[in-house]
Amino acid sequence: MTMTDMGGRAPERRIILAASLALSLIAGAACAAGGGVPFAPVPNEMALGNPRAPVTVVEYASLGCPHCAAWEQQVFPAFKKTYIDTGKVRFVLKEMLFGNSTLAAAGFLTARCAGPDKYFQVVDTIFDQQTQIEEGGVKEMLKVAQAAGLTEDRFKACLQDQAALDTLQARTGRYVTDDKITGTPTFVVGAQRLEGDQTLAQLGTAIDAARHH
């Protein structure tokens, strides 16, 4: 089974089965369907920007979601330059397994193994090369891992790490049940919840409102 074989829209209730298939890589509209509150920092949370920024923007995203990839390519660079790099916003990525859940699971396991300093490098590359990785499978994902400093053996070990996979599944499951996430991308800006693709202007309006709340 390859990432291409998996295709695209597994329901979240099948998340354990779908995510587990990421391990098989060694052998061989919004995504899903679409209030929220700010989140305090938690251990191992993946974030960019000033921890003391006046506004936190949370994105629930899946590496297997085409809409998430499009947002990352088309909006995120300007968003980062305007808000993250200037210290106005702290950006937090919440990992989901919507869309191609095999690709998402394998990608997030690889990004976590690359370490905090390389995590967003791996995520950005997978989003940029999402179609290519879906078509090429494990060989293309290995290239991403190696570019982040992982050896082939280390990469395979990451995908075979059952404890890490269990943790990923549990974390994404909580977002579905506790945070009521039904589609990606979903953004939480201050107390506002924004579902689906958001323009820079739309996010800017929400950020301004959060700053003056």
Side-chain angles (χ1 to χ4, degrees), residues 165-182:
L165 180 60
D166 291 344
T167 298
L168 174 63
Q169 291 173 331
R171 188 165 56 243
T172 59
R174 286 195 301 271
Y175 299 153
V176 171
T177 58
D178 296 347
D179 302 341
K180 311 302 181 186
I181 302 302
T182 59

Side-chain angles (χ1 to χ4, degrees), residues 61-65 68 96 98 100 103-104 107-108 111 122-123 126-127 130:
S62 171
L63 288 173
C65 167
C68 299
M96 300 299 297
F98 287 131
N100 186 333
L103 169 58
F108 284 130
V122 173
V123 166
I126 293 173
F127 274 139
Q130 187 183 79

Side-chain angles (χ1 to χ4, degrees), residues 139-153:
K139 292 182 179 180
E140 294 301 320
M141 185 70 79
L142 173 59
K143 294 178 183 178
V144 177
Q146 290 174 327
L150 297 177
T151 64
E152 182 173 358
D153 286 344

Side-chain angles (χ1 to χ4, degrees), residues 89-100:
V89 159
R90 179 172 182 264
F91 175 77
V92 178
L93 178 63
K94 299 283 188 178
E95 301 163 343
M96 300 299 297
L97 299 178
F98 287 131
N100 186 333

